[in-house]
Amino acid sequence: MKTFNKKSKSTELSKSSSQDKFISKIIENLDKVNPQDWEHYANVQFQMPKNLFSNKYYQGFNTVALFVDTIVNKFHTSNYATFNSISKAGGKLKKGAKGTVIEFFSFIYKHKISGKIYTKE
């Protein structure tokens, strides 16, 4: 017999809904892309989506999501940044500016019994 506490169940639901939101956003953006847009970006030396400040390339589904977002919005570059990183750099967003959804995950090493969290090292 398996028992669940309320906390773990709500965490599972929130993960599921955020994943559904992420996938539905990709599908929604794919529906907006015109065939000519794909051809334009296929013929141009296009860089993979990366973070504007760290210059790290996005990985996994984020690559697909941001690549499609770049095409849909007809951006000239595929550099992305968070609101917080833009604010810390002294920048401001235009009123009404909209962002895009990306997934972030990290591994946490936690002792089953004591609950102590360990670093990668």
Side-chain angles (χ1 to χ4, degrees), residues 43-100:
N43 294 330
V44 175
Q45 289 287 343
F46 187 75
Q47 289 186 346
M48 296 301 290
K50 66 179 178 177
N51 184 286
L52 178 65
F53 296 103
S54 69
N55 287 323
K56 290 183 180 179
Y57 291 100
Y58 289 95
Q59 298 177 4
F61 278 115
N62 288 332
T63 303
V64 175
L66 296 177
F67 183 72
V68 171
D69 186 65
T70 302
I71 294 171
V72 167
N73 293 304
K74 296 180 172 56
F75 294 148
H76 297 288
T77 65
S78 58
N79 295 325
Y80 286 84
T82 64
F83 175 79
N84 288 339
S85 60
I86 292 169
S87 296
K88 285 180 185 176
K92 293 183 180 180
L93 294 175
K94 290 181 182 177
K95 187 174 182 174
K98 296 192 179 199
T100 188

Side-chain angles (χ1 to χ4, degrees), residues 11 30 34 47 49 64 119:
T11 304
L30 281 172
N34 296 325
Q47 289 186 346
V64 175
T119 64

